[in-house]
Amino acid sequence: MPLITGHTLHLVSFATTCLLLRPTTSIVVGLILLTSISVPHTFTTTIGIGHVHALSPSSSRIISAVGNMPTTERSGDGTVTVSPTNEADQSALVVICHGLGDSAEGFVDVAEHLSAALPHVKFILPTAPTQPVTMNMGMPMPSWYDIVGLDERSNESCKGIDGSVSKIRSILQSEHETTGLPYSRMVLAG
């Protein structure tokens, strides 16, 4: 079931982000993510140690993003927002949802690096509520919902998932209403 019905919302897996955190690794971020939000001449983004580049599809020319530092804001509920230097230039949104036991802070450096190459994109990183996770012996931790098992039937009805869906929907709706950004220019990653 789509998160927003009647609109296009791009969903991608962000499993490769763990590789981005290794200081010796340089990788290409998934094309699926970038084709949904990229400016006309941006094809892929390469992230290495301390630098971000965008490759033009028409040539092998590297476009470096230097100087335009994004604005990073933290709210009391754990949400981190990385906004373009000039918010009037915003034409896309990426919402990055962290994994079990993590928080928005785990992806701040990724969002800041990506924003250097994609200066038209706003990144919102919400933090899941802390709640007991049955599969982890009931230990409370940041979780989008209670995980009771790994088999197919275990997660048919997940405690907390409705609240998480509401939280993500409200982020998307708020961004749409305040900026006029169409849902087709929003990506949900996690």
Side-chain angles (χ1 to χ4, degrees):
M1 177 177 207
L3 198 62
I4 303 293
T5 55
H7 301 282
T8 304
L9 177 65
H10 304 283
L11 302 172
V12 297
S13 171
F14 221 61
T16 57
T17 53
C18 61
L19 296 175
L20 300 178
L21 302 178
R22 293 185 186 167
T24 58
T25 304
S26 180
I27 68 167
V28 176
V29 176
L31 181 60
I32 296 169
L33 170 66
L34 296 175
T35 56
S36 300
I37 59 171
S38 62
V39 291
H41 298 293
T42 301
F43 184 66
T44 58
T45 301
T46 304
I47 299 179
I49 304 170
H51 47 77
V52 176
H53 303 289
L55 293 137
S56 170
S58 59
S59 69
S60 59
R61 183 176 63 114
I62 295 178
I63 306 160
S64 294
V66 179
N68 287 334
M69 295 301 297
T71 303
T72 302
E73 297 176 14
R74 289 164 171 82
S75 69
D77 68 352
T79 299
V80 178
T81 303
V82 179
S83 300
T85 303
N86 182 0
E87 289 191 32
D89 292 340
Q90 179 192 346
S91 64
L93 171 72
V94 175
V95 178
I96 303 175
C97 298
H98 62 79
L100 179 64
D102 202 356
S103 71
E105 292 296 331
F107 285 99
V108 171
D109 57 339
V110 173
E112 289 175 340
H113 276 88
L114 287 172
S115 69
L118 302 167
H120 63 286
V121 179
K122 179 186 225 178
F123 295 86
I124 299 178
L125 297 79
T127 294
T130 298
Q131 57 191 334
V133 176
T134 302
M135 194 165 138
N136 287 350
M137 298 183 295
M139 295 292 297
M141 60 188 61
S143 175
W144 295 107
Y145 56 90
D146 184 21
I147 301 170
V148 297
L150 294 178
D151 64 350
E152 196 172 299
R153 307 263 315 165
S154 292
N155 290 312
E156 286 182 357
S157 178
C158 305
K159 182 180 177 187
I161 199 164
D162 291 335
S164 294
V165 168
S166 293
K167 183 173 187 167
I168 301 303
R169 278 187 176 161
S170 70
I171 290 170
L172 300 174
Q173 185 175 6
S174 174
E175 196 67 21
H176 175 71
E177 290 173 358
T178 58
T179 67
L181 188 67
Y183 290 103
S184 63
R185 299 289 297 163
M186 298 180 184
V187 176
L188 178 58

